[in-house]
DNA sequence: CCCAAAATTAACCAAACGGTTAAATTATAT
DNA sequence: ATATAATTTAACCGTTTGGTTAATTTTGGG
């Protein structure tokens, strides 16, 4: 007999993980309840403890997976072989796209990192994260050849991240600051890729 | 007889509010517990319900006070009579200062706004928030006179906010991205005011 | 000094929570 | 087919949580 359930093709463990991912990113560790996760996964609550021993373990699994998947992705763009200006444009385009598709993930990561900084540095963040050595060198060379004005490479990185991430994760706050409707806000975010690229490149031109 | 307690000069209601403010901003609504708040305020748990009827009411009181105090402050800087470029520098200086002194408040506001957007727009955000009409006009004039290159005023506002706020609220994440120690991160944030001002002004120069 | 109102507390309660257990069901290999 | 292991469930347990109650203490005005 077939089960009456809908998603037959993922394993129970996967279903649990996805439900947990959804609710943890939406409500945080304390806000998401085990029963809720079980309901969303369409299984009994005891199964959560069968596959993941405790709430903390389940939470850690989600956080670890998110970080290990997302973090290297963007550092790799910065470490790629593209010319500096193209690279910055590519970074903005792909980063804004991904964050708009998963708007809750970055805020979740930032929040939980602030609540338990030690855990992250000790256990969760992968030790083999790409360093930005190549990118830094590239910036210094661009400064030396006069392609761009003198800028501190580390600040450039953080500025690029800030301009991409913040308006999306702080979307309701931005709406209030600008005093615009939800539709206007959507339009505003649609303009962002172009505006951020322009802003970044103008900021570093010689 | 004097009470053995330390802060004699604030009312009980104030003490409760401050304890709640501290714990809510630190742990969020779900993460902060009523007993914890009572302990920190040095009073019996029932007093929380005596002064504020429920956890939600207490939470709302804190959120409302924070927003009503912080939000107009910065919009007013943008609406002040200063010349545009000085105004932007002043904005960056004061904003970065305030956020570094209360690093958890903006993340708290952003998080809770994302969790309950409706409540904020309906109940919490003051209806008389300053509009940025004067600032927008000022930017357009500066563009017309050639003081700055053509920029979309609303994007300029959000860019300024992003560059100031994000590195501070995402401090642990920034540390990981940059791969630097806690002390280096402090130094990095110390450099921020100068760097952001420079970055902003270079980005909009003609 | 007295008394009514306000402030504060200890004890308690029901619901929600994370977690466990033992039994039942399903899958797997022989 | 059958025995064994893996999976799933219903029922339960102790603790924590937000909230209440009734009694006690403190306060302030007449």
């Amino acid at each position: 007999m077939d089960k009456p359930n809908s998603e037959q093709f993922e394993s129970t463990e996967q279903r649990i993980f996805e439900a947990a991912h959804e609710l943890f990113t939406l409500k945080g560790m304390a806000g998401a309840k085990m029963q809720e996760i079980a309901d969303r996964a369409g299984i009994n609550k005891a199964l959560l403890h069968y596959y993941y021993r405790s709430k903390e373990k389940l939470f850690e699994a989600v956080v670890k997976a998110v970080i290990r998947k997302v973090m290297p992705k963007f550092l790799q763009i910065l470490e790629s072989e593209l010319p500096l200006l193209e690279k910055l444009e590519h970074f903005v385009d792909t980063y804004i796209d991904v964050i708009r598709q998963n708007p809750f993930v970055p805020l979740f990561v930032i929040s939980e990192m602030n609540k338990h900084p030690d855990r992250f540095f000790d256990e969760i963040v992968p030790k083999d994260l790409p360093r930005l050595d190549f990118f830094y060198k590239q910036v210094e060379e661009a400064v030396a050849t006069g392609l761009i004005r003198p800028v501190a490479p580390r600040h450039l990185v953080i500025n690029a991240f800030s301009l991409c991430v913040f308006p999306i994760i702080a979307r309701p706050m931005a709406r209030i600051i600008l005093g615009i409707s939800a539709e206007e806000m959507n339009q505003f975010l649609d303009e962002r890729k172009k505006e951020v690229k322009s802003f970044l490149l103008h900021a570093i031109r010689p």
Side-chain angles (χ1 to χ4, degrees), chain A residues 1-203:
Chain A
M1 286 262 262
D2 274 5
K3 276 193 187 174
N5 215 315
S6 48
E7 285 113 347
Q8 210 60 24
F9 307 110
E10 326 171 69
S11 71
T12 303
E13 197 173 347
Q14 271 179 300
R15 301 249 305 279
I16 293 174
F17 181 89
E18 282 163 26
H21 181 282
E22 217 170 315
L23 289 170
F24 278 141
T25 51
L26 208 64
K27 308 188 170 188
M29 158 77 165
K33 310 297 171 181
M34 293 294 265
Q35 185 61 58
E36 218 182 346
I37 295 173
D39 291 346
R40 170 151 311 212
I43 48 113
N44 187 285
K45 194 185 55 158
L47 267 187
L48 299 181
H49 297 89
Y50 179 79
Y51 286 103
Y52 305 84
R53 307 191 358 152
S54 67
K55 187 183 187 183
E56 275 195 28
K57 289 270 169 52
L58 175 55
F59 180 75
E60 198 181 302
V62 170
V63 171
K64 207 175 273 188
V66 167
I67 289 197
R68 295 202 130 98
K69 185 185 171 189
V70 172
M71 292 281 298
K73 205 167 174 172
F74 300 107
L75 297 182
Q76 275 159 20
I77 295 179
L78 295 178
E79 283 295 277
S80 71
E81 294 286 345
L82 287 170
L84 180 60
L85 301 186
E86 290 175 40
K87 179 186 290 190
L88 286 173
E89 292 192 318
H90 181 227
F91 176 84
V92 170
D93 280 333
T94 60
Y95 202 26
I96 287 186
D97 268 343
V98 173
I99 299 175
R100 282 199 78 179
Q101 280 155 30
N102 309 66
F104 300 120
V105 172
L107 189 56
F108 163 71
V109 173
I110 291 169
S111 292
E112 298 300 335
M113 267 188 171
N114 271 305
K115 279 171 195 156
H116 320 281
D118 306 330
R119 254 188 227 178
F120 278 80
F121 286 100
D122 296 347
E123 303 164 24
I124 294 174
V125 171
K127 303 298 176 196
D128 59 343
L129 260 189
R131 288 284 101 86
L132 296 177
D133 302 321
F134 175 66
F135 180 77
Y136 293 159
K137 199 171 290 177
Q138 198 177 22
V139 171
E140 284 160 16
E141 276 176 25
V143 171
T145 63
L147 177 67
I148 63 174
R149 70 173 181 92
V151 286
R154 295 195 298 200
H155 286 275
L156 179 57
V157 171
I158 296 300
N159 289 348
F161 269 94
S162 303
L163 294 170
C164 293
V165 186
F166 184 77
I168 301 175
I169 68 173
R171 183 187 179 128
M173 192 195 241
R175 262 191 67 192
I176 290 169
I177 291 172
L178 299 178
I180 62 180
S181 69
E183 304 88 58
E184 288 173 310
M185 189 62 201
N186 268 324
Q187 195 197 324
F188 177 82
L189 288 183
D190 289 338
E191 303 160 4
R192 268 261 125 194
K193 284 205 277 192
K194 199 179 57 174
E195 286 288 337
V196 169
K197 283 185 285 186
S198 158
F199 196 82
L200 258 183
L201 295 188
H202 276 96

